[in-house]
Amino acid sequence: MISFLNGTFRLDTLHTSYLFRVTKFGHLENIHYGEYLADQPLDAILLKHTAVIGSTVVYDASDPVYSLDTLSLEWSGIGKGDYRHSPAEIKMPDGTFVTDFVYQEHRVVDGCIPMQTLPSSYGDKKDCRTLEITLTDRPGQVTLLMYYTVFPDTDIITRRAVLLNNNDKPLVIRKMMSMMIDLPNRNYSLVTFQGGWIKEAHREDQRLHYGLFVNESTTGSSSNRHNPGFLLAEQGASESYGRVYGFNLVYSGNHYEGIELSNQDLVRVMAGVNPHCFEWPLSKGERFESPEAVMSFSDQGYNGMSGHFHDFTNRHIVRGDWKEKERPVLLNNWEAHFFSFTEGKLLRLARSARRLGVEMFVLDDGWFGKRDTDTSGLGDYNVNRKKIRSGLPEFAKKINRMGMQFGLWFEPEMVNPDSDLFRAHPEYAVQIPGRKPALGRNQLVLDLCNPKVRDYIVESVRGILTAANITYVKWDMNRHMSDMYSPCLTSQGEYFHKYIIGLYDILHRIFSDQPHILLESCSSGGNRFDLGMLCYSPQIWASDDTDPVERLEIQKGLSYLYPLSAMGAHVSSAPHQQTLRATPLSSRFNTASFGCLGYELDLKYLSRLEKNEVKDQIAFYKEHRRTLQFGRFYRHDPYKNNKVHWQTVAADQGESVAGFFQTQSAAGEGFDFLPLTGLDGGSKYTIRTRPQPIYVKRFGALINFILPFHIHPEGILAGMINKLYSLTDCVEEYQGYGDILHSGVKLNNQFVGSYYNPQIRLLGDFGSSLYMISRVKP
Ligand code: DGJ
């Protein structure tokens, strides 16, 4: 897995190899990262340096072609001839910014080397090995430790760096990345995941141009604007074909990813903590740890690469009782009630949810303090007895007696100026003395750099969790940082990073000895969807946007980096609160089923038929939950612009669920097919449409052409028929061997305005179907 021979390090996973060597001057030169290479002479693949390149600075007069600017490096300093961006900017003890770290020694250890200040991936000697390389600048004064952890089974290599100051004088870190690698350009495209509130993780593709492209966050969180994960893909790469690199960070704060194409056609990739407002003094004997960066490569396209990320997250990031454990189907009361509820209302909703098969009832915002709007109450933990008459412990018991688990919402990192906490401790809030702080959602951020604040949060949340039987926590965080200042810091340049270290400390103290609690992180939806949070919370609320058409884009984007088992996805009422778009209940479920399913609507507004539909949905989801949450997930390249195709296949290839989604309908559509992959070519399967109702109101005035009598399409009678009667959307069933199905299943025609019969698929705008593919028992 890790070897060192003739000055060359070789890191192998099942399908990838990573090779670099120590040059004669002690720099680490990357030789290859990509497909697995058999042990063989490497001369052919070494980057050649046979000509003196004009306008370069030569590192040492003894070798005129050795210029750091043209080397493919694993780390680079400043001021020795490499004019690309450096992964570190350090004001050294001698006051200069010149750094030149060179190899001293290395060691290889079994398993991972845990970090002291930040969460990281984990694994024992069966899972991984770690290479630690020591480099120094001005020997004995400043040391750089570079760590490479190799996870062969998931084709992942992680990297991180630690800086140690051994000098009597302090140094100041202005920028310190976790990793850097130079790769020869192969006309790569850069894929990033961009967005904002209710439009997270939209995939963006761009050609690399000369110069630096930065993907970063400055909000204090990993952010919904620019997820820390990104990809490099060779031209023409598709979901199933081509060379794709993936990069991500185990970090929840301000991150920075620099992708720089040099004039020598080398692509420099670096990732780490954002240098924005960052200044970290390091005195003698002190060390600074950068977060862990995660890298993967696949020559099987985007799906190959994301499969590695999914397995890695499930096996080496998510921990505790919920590791690879099926997530419950929950009902969250937020979109049903917002702040306006009583215990009676909640219990009625819970009873109804239980009847439909829901396993967990989650009480969202508004249960504490004076919190009837978002203007007050954050920071306080006293239950509002006007709303929860019997108090939380008793209320939880009532939910438990119905046969459901009980979950509760918290927003512990925040305070409203109108709260008892703020009145008692204004100094707990982040604000600069003498300046009026800016508000976000009427709230201020609590100063997690302050140990007293951290203690307050830990005691308050633990108090509630101990008093009531709460087995799920939604940990929300609803504003970006402003007015960054903490009296507890000597250098304010430490603020952003120390805040996140403080957050991890709190999460560790509250939850590490309560691994049975399922933590769902949330930050106005997916504002903190990252591997750092996934070290504590096995799932994350993907977006406040529950419109399935939007969710197709959001969940697709997230799926390049994170597994379905990590994505909270709920069915809500339509027209959707975020878009005013009306979508079929079936499509809301079909989309949410590719994730951790929940419902978030007032069930009392559903008709009896719709309740039956929800009941069937939940039963189906539970039956195939392992495949839907932990199966191998594939995005199929769409063959038409208005289609989205997803598929998830069980680990033993015994079953698969495929989703066929149509965004806008098009008149006179030609044939449709269902692309499939991942099945066992030699096994016979049955493929069948999951039956779902079609409500007659979808037909509008057309209803009069199938009824024996005439009615007003908007009238009371039409409304009653719609509540009492539905059609079943076309169900198709076929059998075939896996290899035949892989060529694509041709589906029945869609409704094209000519005539209706039960063999016609009724999709329209935003229609969709799920297909169940099951191996035929011999
Ligand atoms: C933002 C979250 O994303 C929502 O799901 C909900 O919990 C609200 N906060 C409550 O204030």
Side-chain angles (χ1 to χ4, degrees), residues 229-353:
F230 65 101
L231 321 173
L232 279 180
E234 72 179 353
Q235 211 177 22
S238 69
E239 292 292 359
S240 54
Y241 168 83
R243 309 175 88 249
V244 179
Y245 294 91
F247 302 88
N248 208 342
L249 263 191
V250 187
Y251 192 56
S252 313
N254 285 349
H255 59 88
Y256 176 100
E257 293 77 39
I259 300 94
E260 181 179 9
L261 179 59
S262 79
N263 64 13
Q264 293 299 300
D265 291 320
L266 292 173
V267 183
R268 171 159 293 182
V269 175
M270 60 176 87
V273 173
N274 199 330
H276 170 76
C277 303
F278 181 86
E279 196 176 68
W280 196 282
L282 214 59
S283 300
K284 185 172 183 172
E286 288 182 341
R287 50 189 270 140
F288 177 80
E289 290 187 314
S290 67
E292 186 179 29
V294 178
M295 309 189 300
S296 190
F297 167 84
S298 174
D299 57 8
Q300 311 278 306
Y302 296 106
N303 282 326
M305 189 281 314
S306 57
H308 299 164
F309 273 173
H310 295 180
D311 290 344
F312 176 72
T313 305
N314 281 327
R315 295 184 206 157
H316 303 295
I317 290 285
V318 172
R319 53 204 82 200
D321 291 5
W322 288 96
K323 176 179 180 173
E324 299 191 87
K325 182 170 163 184
E326 292 175 19
R327 317 283 196 254
V329 177
L330 59 84
L331 184 129
N332 177 303
N333 81 317
W334 176 244
E335 283 201 29
H337 301 142
F338 296 115
F339 296 102
S340 167
F341 54 84
T342 58
E343 183 165 334
K345 253 191 186 181
L346 293 173
L347 291 173
R348 275 192 294 281
L349 180 59
R351 255 179 242 116
S352 178

Side-chain angles (χ1 to χ4, degrees), residues 59 74 106 141 155 161 177 199 269 273 366 397 421 530 532 625-626 633 687 737:
Y59 184 75
E74 288 286 298
H106 73 272
Q141 297 194 10
D155 287 309
M177 294 287 105
K199 52 175 186 180
V269 175
V273 173
K397 279 188 199 147
L421 177 67
D530 59 67
R625 173 159 40 191
R626 180 140 288 276
F633 179 65
I687 168 163
Y737 282 88

Side-chain angles (χ1 to χ4, degrees), residues 658-771:
F660 180 108
F661 301 93
Q662 176 161 288
T663 47
Q664 299 279 306
S665 65
E669 283 251 9
F671 74 91
D672 277 334
F673 77 89
L674 184 71
L676 293 175
T677 189
L679 304 171
D680 172 22
S683 293
K684 195 175 189 185
Y685 292 89
T686 301
I687 168 163
R688 184 164 192 266
T689 323
R690 189 184 84 80
Q692 61 188 23
I694 290 272
Y695 298 101
V696 292
K697 73 171 176 227
R698 272 218 111 188
F699 294 91
L702 289 178
I703 188 72
N704 286 318
F705 296 95
I706 51 171
L707 285 181
F709 48 89
H710 202 95
I711 60 167
H712 189 302
E714 301 290 331
I716 295 174
L717 193 54
M720 276 170 61
I721 294 175
N722 188 60
K723 285 199 175 120
L724 297 170
Y725 179 72
S726 65
L727 306 168
T728 299
D729 198 359
C730 163
V731 173
E732 297 174 67
E733 183 169 332
Y734 310 101
Q735 282 204 338
Y737 282 88
D739 52 5
I740 291 180
L741 299 181
H742 285 169
S743 70
V745 176
K746 312 296 181 302
L747 299 172
N748 284 4
N749 293 132
Q750 282 199 45
F751 181 73
V752 285
S754 49
Y755 190 71
Y756 166 74
N757 73 51
Q759 295 314 313
I760 290 175
R761 292 156 58 237
L762 296 163
L763 288 160
D765 281 352
F766 329 127
S768 65
S769 293
L770 292 186
Y771 295 86

Side-chain angles (χ1 to χ4, degrees), residues 178-231:
S178 303
M179 57 78 64
M180 184 202 103
I181 186 172
D182 291 335
L183 298 165
N185 189 21
R186 293 171 75 135
N187 208 356
Y188 290 125
S189 291
L190 173 65
V191 182
T192 50
F193 300 92
Q194 315 284 7
W197 178 62
I198 65 173
K199 52 175 186 180
E200 294 85 344
H202 283 48
R203 175 179 161 168
E204 287 253 337
D205 291 41
Q206 55 185 297
R207 278 272 315 280
L208 285 186
H209 297 288
Y210 287 125
L212 177 71
F213 177 87
V214 173
N215 181 64
E216 65 176 340
S217 159
T218 56
T219 63
S221 298
S222 50
S223 95
N224 49 24
R225 299 173 179 221
H226 313 285
N227 196 281
F230 65 101
L231 321 173

